[in-house]
Amino acid sequence: MTETSLWFGAKRVSQWEELMRKFSESHKEQCKSVSLDIPRVQRSVKQFPTGSKYEGTWDVLGMSGYGVYKFPNDVIYEGEFEDGLFHGRGELIYPSGEVLKGQWKRGALIDRNLIFSDGLEYSDIDWNYCRMPDRRFTIEYNTGLQPAGQSYMTPEQPPREIPIGYYDTGDGFFDPKTKVVYSIHDLTAIIRSPSVREQKWIIDNCRTNPLPPLGPRKDLYEEWSEPLLNLRSKEHHPSTIISSKSMYSLSYQDMEDIHEYGTCYWRKPSEGPWTKRFITFES
């Protein structure tokens, strides 16, 4: 083989590749792949430059096993780790009391269950909490409704005082001027910036200070007509319709007809057409 063929014809083999080949052939049994069980050790609390801290088990690759990780905003993750990432079962515990229980895979949340501070569990399917027709808070499920004039304004009792000009979002106070949510305990500490859609929702639904006058909610009212009675005609004519105020003048046979055929009335929501309803009576 000429020098030219070494450079342009055949592939030139490194002396290190040749040495590794000879070593592998002479140590075939010893070089079989085996699973590595990296030992985990408990270390003291680790403080990170970001302001977070971790206390738990470690291996040579980082946080691994079980531990507690605290973020700078006081949110705490307690659960399983692998290679420095959330991996396995764990819980995110928020300062306001909410708990997010979940299953993580390499840092990604793949299954979750949100529990509010009052014990209420959130559901992704058919979430009807505090919506018509049942607008009760969790505390009202447990203790019952209060008399008129003493209704609960919030699920937390007693309600916290809202700074003037702010809105209570539950996890903090929203300022419509700066468009951010501040900490309940420190109005100079920003905890998050809601989206434009959430900002509108906060202004439309959350408590504020001063509280605007609360009048009747017309969208929650319904208008009903006077009940009308459908009477069977003995001549097979269409049923006779009379006002319920005239019931005192009905004969015994008429009353039997009413019990057989029922009562007709009209119903109209505040924002919708009149609809006819028919009630049948059991003898």
Side-chain angles (χ1 to χ4, degrees), residues 191-248:
I191 60 174
R192 63 187 181 90
S193 177
S195 64
V196 175
R197 180 181 178 183
E198 185 184 359
Q199 291 175 27
K200 183 180 184 305
W201 188 93
I202 291 172
I203 295 174
D204 291 341
N205 296 276
C206 292
R207 290 193 312 134
T208 185
N209 186 11
L211 193 65
L214 298 178
R217 289 279 304 275
K218 293 184 178 180
D219 57 313
L220 301 180
Y221 282 75
E222 293 180 340
E223 185 178 353
W224 296 78
S225 72
E226 179 183 348
L228 302 176
L229 304 181
N230 286 325
L231 301 184
R232 178 179 56 184
S233 172
K234 295 181 177 57
E235 291 78 16
H236 304 288
H237 291 164
S239 299
T240 304
I241 301 179
I242 65 172
S243 169
S244 61
K245 292 180 181 179
S246 304
M247 285 187 65
Y248 66 89

Side-chain angles (χ1 to χ4, degrees), residues 13-72:
V13 179
S14 166
Q15 60 175 337
W16 298 110
E17 290 185 76
E18 183 65 20
L19 288 174
M20 287 300 297
R21 183 185 64 78
K22 292 180 179 180
F23 178 85
S24 299
E25 289 178 353
S26 60
H27 295 80
K28 285 183 178 180
E29 296 298 322
Q30 295 89 336
C31 290
K32 288 183 178 179
S33 61
V34 294
S35 60
L36 295 177
D37 187 11
I38 302 176
R40 294 169 177 170
V41 296
Q42 184 78 25
R43 291 176 54 183
S44 59
V45 178
K46 169 68 175 179
Q47 295 281 354
F48 296 95
T50 58
S52 302
K53 61 182 180 180
Y54 171 78
E55 182 177 8
T57 56
W58 297 72
D59 61 16
V60 294
L61 300 177
M63 299 177 293
S64 187
Y66 192 88
V68 178
Y69 188 95
K70 186 174 183 180
F71 293 88

Side-chain angles (χ1 to χ4, degrees), residues 65-214:
Y66 192 88
V68 178
Y69 188 95
K70 186 174 183 180
F71 293 88
N73 60 356
D74 292 332
V75 175
I76 298 173
Y77 171 83
E78 183 174 354
E80 297 174 315
F81 291 79
E82 184 174 299
D83 296 345
L85 300 172
F86 299 167
H87 186 79
R89 298 298 302 178
E91 296 181 356
L92 279 172
I93 305 170
Y94 293 85
S96 54
E98 289 83 5
V99 178
L100 181 63
K101 297 182 178 182
Q103 178 80 25
W104 275 263
K105 184 176 181 181
R106 304 293 298 168
L109 181 62
I110 58 176
D111 185 35
R112 69 182 187 274
N113 181 27
L114 176 62
I115 303 175
F116 295 93
S117 58
D118 57 7
L120 178 69
E121 293 191 21
Y122 174 74
S123 174
D124 289 326
I125 303 174
D126 296 331
W127 177 248
N128 293 318
Y129 173 68
C130 207
R131 292 182 180 176
M132 287 291 292
D134 188 350
R135 300 172 64 236
R136 290 177 294 170
F137 294 122
T138 305
I139 188 174
E140 292 172 315
Y141 281 102
N142 300 329
T143 63
L145 294 172
Q146 299 301 299
Q150 301 178 25
S151 301
Y152 293 129
M153 298 295 294
T154 66
E156 298 85 15
Q157 297 300 317
R160 56 171 164 254
E161 185 177 350
I162 306 174
I164 295 177
Y166 289 78
Y167 289 81
D168 185 2
T169 61
D171 61 340
F173 294 129
F174 173 72
D175 185 352
K177 296 180 180 178
T178 59
K179 304 185 185 306
V180 295
V181 177
Y182 295 92
S183 169
I184 296 171
H185 309 289
D186 183 3
L187 289 181
T188 63
I190 299 174
I191 60 174
R192 63 187 181 90
S193 177
S195 64
V196 175
R197 180 181 178 183
E198 185 184 359
Q199 291 175 27
K200 183 180 184 305
W201 188 93
I202 291 172
I203 295 174
D204 291 341
N205 296 276
C206 292
R207 290 193 312 134
T208 185
N209 186 11
L211 193 65
L214 298 178

Side-chain angles (χ1 to χ4, degrees), residues 259-277:
H259 281 272
E260 181 178 352
Y261 285 90
T263 300
C264 166
Y265 63 88
W266 290 84
R267 168 184 174 271
K268 181 183 182 301
S270 60
E271 297 179 358
W274 285 95
T275 55
K276 188 176 182 180
R277 296 291 184 267

